[in-house]
Amino acid sequence: MIDYTELSTREAYGKIITEMGAVDTRIVVLDADLSRSVMTKYFAQAHPGRFFQCGLAEQNMISIAAGLASCGKIPLASTFAVFASCRCFDQVRMCVAQPKANVKIVSTHGGITVGEDGSSHQAIEDLALYCSLPNFNVIAPSDSIETVEAIKAAIATDGPFYVRLGRSKTPVIYANGCKFKLGQADMLLDGRDASIIATGIMVSKSIEAANLLKLDGVHCRVLNMSTLKPVDRLSIIAAAADTGAIVTAEEHLLHGGLGSIVAQVLSANIPVPLVSIGIDDTYCQSGKPDELLEMNGLTAPAIAAAVRDVVTKKNKRYT
Amino acid sequence: MTDYNITDLENTARKLRRHVINMISTAGSGHPGGSLSAADIVTALYFKIMRHDPGQPQWPERDRFVLSKGHAAPILYAALAECGYFPVDLLTTLRKTGACLQGHTDSRLTPGVDVSAGSLGQGLSVGIGMALAARLDKKDYRTYILLGDGECDEGQVWEAAMFAPNYKLDNITAIVDYNSLQLDGFTKDIMNLEPFMDKWRSFKWEVMEIDGHAMQQIIDAIRQAKTVKGRPTVIVAHTIKGKGVSFMENNVDWHGKAPNKSETEIALKELS
Ligand SMILES: Cc1ncc(C[n+]2csc(CCOP(=O)(O)OP(=O)(O)O)c2C)c(N)n1
Ligand SMILES: [Mg+2]
């Protein structure tokens, strides 16, 4: 048995598809000269006949995956999140999204925690791009355990999927198991003062923030919104109704990601004060992942400050 | 600038390689293999061939250099520093927060860097744009583009390869750092490029083949390319990934990994 708690999300991905590939021979894996980084190398070793090395050619890889899907295969295509989104967007749109092809695009190295490689390699637009596509399911798992469940769900569910994973190890949230359900937020903590809705690596930081706030008597609900599309509207609306104030947190541009999605749901249904944590319309740079998170305000203290801010706004409104 | 002879250039290339090792070692990450394989080519361009002025990075008449394989940024930074674009001391700030020397080239931040890169396969097109501008502005600068062999898997490289002869561009020289390795393994195993020379020839390029570590050959080929009229030239430079450091040479593990302290010492000794 593999202990997934010990693994990074990308390692977990490489291992679970290798296991699943042994049982389900419809699973095929495509790579664009990064199998050593996106961890599809394990699948390549175990199932060489169903592994297709495309070379450094992401556009070709996506359209080939679509062709494989149209003939009953379940293709998983992987590369870094920047290339999986920006480099082959038209191929994704035309060959995968529009025909609802059963292609699973699993990216790694999402967000700025790619670190030292710098802005060229930091995917900060990928969630917005994929969420903009009709027919797509978009997931950003919060830890390695949830990654395994998300990959299983993506393979079990017909249709286009984008799953965004990271480079570094992430704190384990689901050590005691994860009941991942596509399109459903998971309430990790409850409280009545405000709700923090987070995705990806920001989920563990949101739990940290909630624990910091608890010391000051501020009680937060924390929702893991790992599925960004289809988004769990009901949980967002319930959070607004129950707590009256929302903070969103994502390792992504503010435009087009979780913050935008939540804002849309709130404004259409139940407008309450909202503060969004994310990258504010700028490219980042090389540096240590933690330093870059700090520079962009993607930390537990920053989330806690946002919660205080949004709670003040809520209280002003009702007095 | 001083007139470098072959020995001077070889010594300079060795110095740049030492910088590369120091920089990547200090940064704790980076791409030594592809930086070392390109060291002699970059040295020839910056210290012998190109018309440029470190005092005026934006000089309109300068020859242009596009490092299409942007992950080899350390070798370009080393050359720029030794030319005087910025202090050599800055080299060890590579990849650090706030540094002007980013993990992949960034034209916003580094004096002498004309093109942001890191997403492979785009530099030949950018270089073509610069060459078209030269034609429009009646300027006689040349544009040099350095590509990786793995990079040539990208379809855009061949879109650009079709474009340049179609516009009879003879003011660009593309150089392919053919080190036979990409990230996942040998190019012949990952995605076979061969017959590579024939591909370029059939796209109507003038094709030259050289040893990319033989300084005289590099200089002769680049000079000869300048004389070719009515079509672009590609120089396929056979190189060794990791050249100059025995344990890095021809070893895929050194594509994107920093040497530790003792490895750094050995590497620097070998390059002394
Ligand atoms: C579009 C794109 N896809 C993938 C990568 C990841 N990547 C970085 S270097 C590299 C291999 C490059 O091989 P090559 O061009 O031969 O470079 P060299 O051997 O000179 O290092 C890959 C796949 C990238 N930078 N850009
Ligand atoms: Mg190569």
Side-chain angles (χ1 to χ4, degrees):
Chain A
M1 270 300 279
I2 301 160
D3 180 5
Y4 285 98
T5 60
E6 290 294 314
L7 306 178
S8 62
T9 53
R10 59 185 166 125
E11 280 274 350
Y13 164 58
K15 298 281 185 189
I16 187 65
I17 59 169
T18 306
E19 276 190 0
M20 293 178 77
V23 184
D24 188 342
T25 56
R26 293 172 306 168
I27 296 175
V28 296
V29 173
L30 294 92
D31 171 57
D33 195 23
L34 280 172
S35 70
R36 292 152 62 95
S37 296
V38 302
M39 300 300 167
T40 51
K41 63 179 181 186
Y42 301 121
F43 188 97
Q45 283 152 11
H47 316 294
R50 281 182 280 130
F51 175 81
F52 300 104
Q53 173 59 263
C54 301
L56 227 160
E58 297 77 9
Q59 302 170 345
N60 193 39
M61 172 172 76
I62 295 297
S63 301
I64 290 173
L68 283 159
S70 75
C71 298
K73 304 298 172 198
I74 304 178
L76 296 142
S78 290
T79 176
F80 289 167
V82 256
F83 309 130
S85 51
C86 301
R87 191 47 178 260
C88 47
F89 194 62
D90 187 37
Q91 283 74 11
V92 170
R93 175 180 181 273
M94 200 59 237
C95 300
V96 183
Q98 192 268 9
K100 274 194 171 189
N102 194 26
V103 172
K104 319 301 171 187
I105 297 161
V106 183
S107 76
T108 69
H109 296 61
I112 57 174
T113 45
V114 163
E116 288 84 350
D117 271 348
S119 63
S120 65
H121 282 56
Q122 294 163 350
I124 53 175
E125 313 92 338
D126 59 325
L127 298 175
L129 286 169
Y130 273 100
C131 285
S132 75
L133 292 169
N135 300 329
F136 249 90
N137 298 282
V138 179
I139 311 173
S142 58
D143 73 359
S144 55
I145 310 295
E146 189 176 30
T147 296
V148 169
E149 298 309 316
I151 295 295
K152 284 183 188 162
I155 289 173
T157 314
D158 189 57
F161 273 77
Y162 177 70
V163 183
R164 182 214 229 196
L165 308 177
R167 171 182 163 233
S168 326
K169 264 194 186 167
T170 41
V172 176
I173 294 165
Y174 292 105
N176 301 321
C178 170
K179 292 197 201 78
F180 175 85
K181 257 199 106 193
L182 182 68
Q184 237 172 60
D186 185 22
M187 196 196 295
L188 297 170
L189 288 174
D190 203 8
R192 61 190 150 64
D193 296 321
S195 299
I196 309 171
I197 305 179
T199 194
I201 65 158
M202 296 310 288
V203 174
S204 69
K205 296 188 190 302
S206 299
I207 297 170
E208 237 181 278
N211 289 331
L212 285 175
L213 289 160
K214 209 182 290 173
L215 302 175
D216 294 344
V218 180
H219 298 275
C220 294
R221 177 176 294 184
V222 174
L223 291 181
N224 172 10
M225 196 63 76
S226 47
T227 308
L228 289 155
K229 195 174 183 188
V231 80
D232 184 352
R233 287 161 190 278
L234 293 180
S235 289
I236 297 171
I237 293 167
D242 296 345
T243 69
I246 308 274
V247 167
T248 62
E250 64 198 300
E251 189 196 10
H252 185 270
L253 285 175
L254 286 171
H255 291 276
L258 177 67
S260 295
I261 294 166
V262 169
Q264 230 169 31
V265 173
L266 292 179
S267 62
N269 297 282
I270 172 168
V272 298
L274 166 72
V275 174
S276 290
I277 298 266
I279 298 156
D280 193 3
D281 199 28
T282 184
Y283 283 106
C284 192
Q285 54 165 288
S286 294
K288 290 208 161 46
D290 284 340
E291 289 172 5
L292 300 181
L293 290 171
E294 182 85 42
M295 280 173 65
N296 286 277
L298 303 182
T299 61
I303 297 170
V307 168
R308 290 198 180 92
D309 179 18
V310 85
V311 167
T312 311
K313 284 182 179 145
K314 164 174 106 170
N315 291 341
K316 258 197 209 135
R317 230 166 89 124
Y318 295 117
T319 51
Chain B
M1 252 184 182
T2 28
D3 191 22
Y4 283 71
N5 64 29
I6 295 295
T7 314
D8 298 334
L9 291 168
E10 285 167 353
N11 290 337
T12 303
R14 203 171 314 113
K15 189 192 276 180
L16 299 191
R17 285 191 164 96
R18 287 199 297 274
H19 282 317
V20 164
I21 295 298
N22 263 324
M23 294 163 77
I24 297 176
S25 168
T26 310
S29 66
H31 300 83
S35 298
L36 295 174
S37 64
D40 301 297
I41 297 162
V42 170
T43 302
L45 285 169
Y46 275 88
F47 294 87
K48 192 71 181 175
I49 303 280
M50 280 177 20
R51 181 172 73 202
H52 66 120
D53 178 0
Q56 315 176 60
Q58 295 299 320
W59 183 33
E61 308 303 323
R62 72 193 183 281
D63 285 340
R64 304 303 200 268
F65 177 67
V66 181
L67 182 67
S68 189
K69 39 171 277 186
H71 57 281
I75 188 63
L76 175 57
Y77 298 158
L80 292 172
E82 283 295 339
C83 284
Y85 282 87
F86 48 81
V88 171
D89 293 351
L90 276 185
L91 289 176
T92 45
T93 64
L94 176 74
R95 291 177 163 249
K96 299 221 160 79
T97 307
C100 73
L101 304 180
Q102 295 288 295
H104 293 76
T105 52
D106 187 328
S107 61
R108 302 168 302 172
L109 295 174
T110 317
V113 169
D114 280 329
V115 177
S116 290
S119 179
L120 290 163
Q122 306 186 21
L124 188 54
S125 309
V126 177
I128 287 172
M130 293 169 156
L132 289 173
R135 183 181 277 178
L136 289 172
D137 296 342
K138 305 204 169 27
K139 288 192 186 298
D140 69 347
Y141 66 78
R142 269 191 96 72
T143 302
Y144 298 93
I145 305 107
L146 183 62
L147 299 124
D149 49 353
E151 179 177 15
C152 293
D153 293 354
E154 287 286 354
Q156 186 179 350
V157 172
W158 302 99
E159 295 174 21
M162 206 177 322
F163 183 103
N166 190 56
Y167 278 82
K168 301 191 167 41
L169 284 179
D170 53 14
N171 56 351
I172 60 170
T173 302
I175 305 172
V176 180
D177 180 357
Y178 201 131
N179 58 25
S180 303
L181 278 167
Q182 51 198 105
L183 191 145
D184 266 344
F186 287 100
T187 49
K188 68 174 173 16
D189 302 325
I190 301 300
M191 188 55 59
N192 197 356
L193 294 161
E194 295 298 339
F196 194 56
M197 278 16 104
D198 289 348
K199 284 192 174 69
W200 290 98
R201 269 188 213 109
S202 72
F203 276 69
K204 304 289 179 227
W205 286 62
E206 180 75 19
V207 183
M208 299 178 192
E209 208 175 346
I210 61 164
D211 172 349
H213 301 306
M215 198 53 82
Q216 191 68 55
Q217 278 190 44
I218 300 171
I219 289 166
D220 291 346
I222 298 177
R223 285 193 169 144
Q224 199 190 323
K226 281 197 207 178
T227 67
V228 176
K229 294 294 164 217
R231 55 193 181 137
T233 299
V234 60
I235 299 171
V236 178
H238 294 279
T239 56
I240 295 169
K241 200 156 177 167
K243 172 73 176 176
V245 178
S246 57
F247 57 91
M248 291 185 180
E249 285 192 1
N250 219 15
N251 182 348
V252 70
D253 292 338
W254 290 98
H255 168 80
K257 184 173 82 164
N260 64 25
K261 216 166 157 232
S262 63
E263 289 161 342
T264 301
E265 269 170 34
I266 299 170
L268 290 176
K269 197 178 286 169
E270 291 186 9
L271 290 168
S272 64

